[in-house]
Every structure is written in structure tokens, then in C-alpha cells.
Amino acid sequence: MLWDNNEDIRLIECENKARTIQKHLNECRDERRPYVFVTPTMTIKPLRRLLVPVSMLEEETYKAEICTYIARKTGAHIILLQANDYGSHARQNVNRIITHIRAVIERSGENISYEVCIARKDSFSLVREASERQRDFRHDLLILTASRDYGLDDILFGPPERKAIQQALVPVMLVNPREDLFSLCD
């Protein structure tokens, strides 16, 4: 597996309980490298398909480097799940990720396959949709951006990434946004 003996990626094996997952999420708030959650309820398979939900938030484009790196190492197909928003931010973020993928293809000469799927839901419900439609996409890894700051609903009901980890049938990789990006709660 890609994260075995890899210092660039942190592996977190834990129980599938909200409190345990939240404890690990809190520990990883300052982690700069991607971290992968694996629970006993998840099936670990060779990475053939990566699901990358892309919302309107600027930090979503940071996942371009991660998914491209994994696709190059494993030959996995990238599925960009674009939020079905009224505005153009999610589409622009998908286009930035595609530009990055194409630049890597041009530079390396490697074949990286990808596709764009339009989600049924908007940016605010995108992670939930990715969790609910796992069987539709048949992916082997879900790549999410961790919440930068927890809002009141996240504090009361839990952040979307925790719920996605609990529902996931496959490992979930989280990428923390860069420190220099703004957040809506600042």
C-alpha cells in the first residue's frame, strides 16, 4: 500500500467511533503532511480509483498535488467530484486541478487518467454526498480537505470529515489547508 513505510503520509488506524476519530482529528490539526484514516470497517484494496470532492473553497486546489502524486505512484484513476454550486468557484477549482494534472503529464510524459463528475449537491453537502455515493464511484481512497476552523454546527454535530470517516467503506485521506490561506472564521 502507498502509505506503508512512507514518512510523507501519516497512517491513523483507529476504532470507528466518533470520539476516537475526533481525538485523532484534533491531534492532526497542525499536521502538514496528508494523513489516512483506516478503521476496522474499511476495505483496503490496491488504489485504482481516487475520489476527490472539490468544493468552492480555495484550499481544495491543494489536493491537486496529492491526487496527482498518488496517481503517478499507483496508476490510479482520479475522479474529481465537482460541487453543483450556483457560482463558478467549484468549477474554477476543478479547472486548476486539471491544469496541474496536465502540467504533470506534459512534464513527466506519464499517463494520468481523470474524469470530472458533477455532484448532485452543493459545496456545503459535498462531503456527505461523497460518503453516501461510495458504491456509485467504486473508489479505493477518498481524499478530503480537513476543516480549517470548526464552526458552531461542527462543534455541535461534528465536522463533515469525521462523519465521512465513520461512513467510509475505504480509507480516507485528509489534507490540511495551508496556513497562509484565509478562513471564513478569522
Side-chain angles (χ1 to χ4, degrees):
M1 219 15 64
L2 177 69
W3 46 81
D4 290 343
N5 301 316
N6 188 338
E7 293 183 15
D8 295 332
I9 299 171
R10 179 177 175 180
L11 178 63
I12 300 169
E13 296 176 283
C14 65
E15 296 176 19
N16 194 5
K17 295 181 180 175
R19 188 170 289 192
T20 305
I21 294 169
Q22 189 62 52
K23 181 186 102 167
H24 288 292
L25 287 172
N26 292 341
E27 289 171 359
C28 293
R29 297 287 290 162
D30 296 324
E31 186 75 54
R32 299 287 28 110
R33 62 187 170 163
Y35 44 104
V36 177
F37 276 84
V38 177
T39 68
T41 59
M42 295 175 180
T43 302
I44 300 173
K45 302 183 282 188
L47 300 180
R48 300 286 179 241
R49 295 171 60 88
L50 312 174
L51 181 59
V52 184
V54 183
S55 75
M56 66 180 175
L57 298 175
E58 181 182 352
E59 55 261 30
E60 294 291 281
T61 58
Y62 183 60
K63 291 189 279 189
E65 296 174 30
I66 303 301
C67 68
T68 306
Y69 171 81
I70 295 170
R72 288 180 72 193
K73 292 285 186 186
T74 65
H77 176 74
I78 301 169
I79 305 166
L80 300 171
L81 181 61
Q82 177 184 314
N84 192 357
D85 290 340
Y86 176 72
S88 62
H89 292 294
R91 183 172 21 88
Q92 290 170 351
N93 287 339
V94 165
N95 289 339
R96 287 182 188 114
I97 293 172
I98 290 171
T99 299
H100 177 81
I101 293 170
R102 288 180 178 161
V104 170
I105 292 170
E106 188 175 306
R107 203 171 44 248
S108 70
E110 295 177 67
N111 183 23
I112 300 172
S113 66
Y114 65 91
E115 68 181 289
V116 177
C117 296
I118 306 300
R120 298 175 185 150
K121 304 198 186 249
D122 63 11
S123 288
F124 300 105
S125 302
L126 185 63
V127 172
R128 183 168 30 113
E129 179 176 343
S131 297
E132 292 169 355
R133 295 184 62 197
Q134 294 178 74
R135 296 194 197 291
D136 295 346
F137 293 113
R138 301 180 333 272
H139 58 280
D140 305 307
L141 180 67
L142 176 60
I143 303 176
L144 302 175
T145 303
S147 297
R148 175 139 171 112
D149 289 310
Y150 292 143
L152 183 58
D153 57 338
D154 296 329
I155 294 169
L156 294 175
F157 305 112
E161 60 266 25
R162 185 186 81 200
K163 295 172 191 166
I165 294 166
Q166 284 182 276
Q167 294 176 347
L169 302 173
V170 297
V172 177
M173 176 179 280
L174 287 162
V175 178
N176 277 335
R178 297 185 342 249
E179 290 181 19
D180 61 335
L181 291 176
F182 74 94
S183 71
L184 299 174
C185 298
D186 284 347

